[in-house]
Amino acid sequence: MEPLSQVSYPGKKQDMKTQDVDATVYMNFMKSHCCYDAIPTSCKLVIFDTKLQVKKAFFALVANGLRAAPLWDSKLQRFVGMLTITDFINILHCYYRSPLVQMHELENHKIETWRDVYLQSSNHFLISIAPEASLFDAIYSLLKYKIHRLPVIDPGSGNVLHILTHKRILKFLHIFGKKVPKPAFVGKQIQELGIGTFRNIATVQQTATLYDALSIFVERRVSALPVVDEQGKVVSLYSRFDVINLAAQKTYNNLDMTMQEAVRRRTCFFEGVLKCYPDETLDIIIDRIVKAEVHRLVLVDRADVVKGIISLSDLLQAMVLTPAGIEDLLS
C-alpha cells in the first residue's frame, strides 16, 4: 500500500484506521488458523531411510509424483532432514562431466553419503513446525529459511503429519478466506504494488545447455527459469520439478542437450507459459496462480518480453508478512 500521509485532517484518522485494518486482513486470517487446519483430509506421504540409495529415492519420488520426502535416520531414531529435487539438481551439477562418463556417485551413493558430502559446505538442519502453530508462523519459517517444504511434526509422537507448502497455504486462503472481507489493495495493479522480482531476472537462452540451466538453479537458488529466445521473449518455462523427469526418462547422463531439446522431451503435459501483465490486479494474479496450481507467473510486456517473476513467496510476503511489519525476507 502507498504510505499514509502524516498530516492530520478532519475525518482522516478514521480513514487511516480503516486502511490499517484493511491491510491486516490476511495477516489476521493466518494468525487465527493453525497448520493442522490446512492439512488435507487425504494426502500421500513417503518417508525415506537415509540408508536408501539416492538413485532409488529419486525414482520413488517420480513414481509417486512427489517433490520431496522426509528423511529418517534409523541410528538416531529421528527425522534428520528432507530429500528434495534440489538435492537431485545439486548431485547432477556436482558430478556431471560428459555424456560419455557415468556418474558413479549418483549410481552408488546412499542418502547418508550424499548428506555427509553436502553438509560439509552447508549448515543444514531439519526445519519443522508443530500442528498447533499458526499458519502465520509457517509462512514466516518458509520465507525466512528460503525453503519450499515445511514438515508438520507431531511433538508427542514425533511423526510427520504433512509437508506444508506455499501453494497449500495460499490455496487454503483462497478457499476459506472468502469469509473475510476482501482488502482494497487486491484491486490495485501489480505494478503499483511492486510485488515480485523485477531486477536481475534469472533466465536461460533456448540455445543454452541443460547443464547451464542447472548451474543457474544452483547459483541463483531460483525455482524456475523462463526460457527465452534471442529477443528476450519467453518461449517456455523450465522448473526444478522438470529436472526430476530426467530420472524418470533416465536421461540425466546427457546434460549437454539444448534447453529447446530439454523442453521438447518433457513428458508432463504443458499448456504453455503462464503469464501476467503489469496492469493486471493482484486479485486476478492470485486467482490465476491458485487455479493453475503453479508456483509462479512470468511477468511480461505486451511483446512477451520477460519483465519479472511473481512467485507464491512474493504474494505471501506482501499479503501476510509486510502488514505485520516484517520486511522483505526474500531479499
Side-chain angles (χ1 to χ4, degrees), residues 293-305:
E293 295 191 342
V294 294
H295 292 83
R296 86 288 302 162
L297 297 177
V298 181
L299 185 76
V300 296
D301 61 18
R302 295 297 171 179
D304 276 350
V305 174

Side-chain angles (χ1 to χ4, degrees), residues 17-243:
K17 186 176 180 181
T18 302
Q19 288 188 47
D20 287 343
V21 171
D22 189 63
T24 59
V25 165
Y26 294 138
M27 177 195 78
N28 293 330
F29 177 86
M30 294 302 180
K31 285 185 174 182
S32 64
H33 289 84
C34 66
C35 295
Y36 192 84
D37 295 335
I39 297 177
T41 52
S42 177
C43 61
K44 185 184 291 186
L45 183 65
V46 173
I47 294 167
F48 294 141
D49 192 290
T50 54
K51 293 190 178 298
L52 183 68
Q53 280 188 318
V54 164
K55 184 179 176 181
K56 289 182 178 178
F58 289 126
F59 283 163
L61 285 180
V62 172
N64 287 281
L66 298 174
R67 298 166 185 252
L71 297 175
W72 175 260
D73 189 313
S74 51
K75 286 182 182 177
L76 299 175
Q77 286 292 296
R78 62 180 174 85
F79 289 102
V80 292
M82 297 280 291
L83 188 77
T84 71
I85 295 171
T86 300
D87 290 298
F88 187 54
I89 291 171
N90 285 332
I91 289 173
L92 293 181
H93 186 258
C94 183
Y95 297 118
Y96 181 76
R97 295 295 174 265
S98 83
L100 302 176
V101 180
Q102 190 177 28
M103 285 181 281
H104 294 288
E105 294 85 357
L106 178 58
E107 302 295 326
N108 303 319
H109 266 3
K110 292 180 179 178
I111 294 173
E112 60 184 1
T113 313
W114 164 244
R115 280 175 58 80
D116 288 341
V117 172
Y118 183 55
L119 295 181
Q120 285 179 1
S121 59
S122 59
N123 190 26
H124 278 229
F125 55 94
L126 179 63
I127 299 163
S128 63
I129 197 164
E132 295 82 12
S134 72
L135 287 174
F136 180 89
D137 291 336
I139 293 169
Y140 181 78
S141 292
L142 285 166
L143 271 62
K144 178 184 178 182
Y145 297 108
K146 293 179 170 61
I147 55 177
H148 294 94
R149 277 150 194 88
L150 183 64
V152 181
I153 298 182
D154 187 319
S157 65
N159 292 332
V160 177
L161 305 179
H162 186 60
I163 307 297
L164 207 53
T165 64
H166 303 76
K167 187 195 290 187
R168 180 63 196 172
I169 293 173
L170 194 63
K171 187 173 183 178
F172 180 79
L173 173 63
H174 195 252
I175 295 170
F176 298 101
K178 293 174 182 176
K179 298 177 181 177
V180 300
K182 188 175 288 189
F185 69 81
V186 299
K188 290 187 176 183
Q189 293 180 359
I190 205 75
Q191 61 186 355
E192 183 184 354
L193 294 168
I195 298 172
T197 302
F198 309 103
R199 296 179 182 176
N200 200 18
I201 308 301
T203 62
V204 63
Q205 291 282 331
Q206 59 182 349
T207 53
T209 67
L210 182 51
Y211 186 80
D212 292 333
L214 296 190
S215 299
I216 299 172
F217 279 135
V218 171
E219 292 160 13
R220 296 289 299 275
R221 296 188 67 186
V222 292
S223 60
L225 289 171
V227 182
V228 299
D229 63 15
E230 296 79 10
Q231 286 76 43
K233 293 182 179 181
V234 60
V235 294
S236 188
L237 190 71
Y238 198 78
S239 72
R240 286 176 178 268
F241 185 65
D242 291 318
V243 179

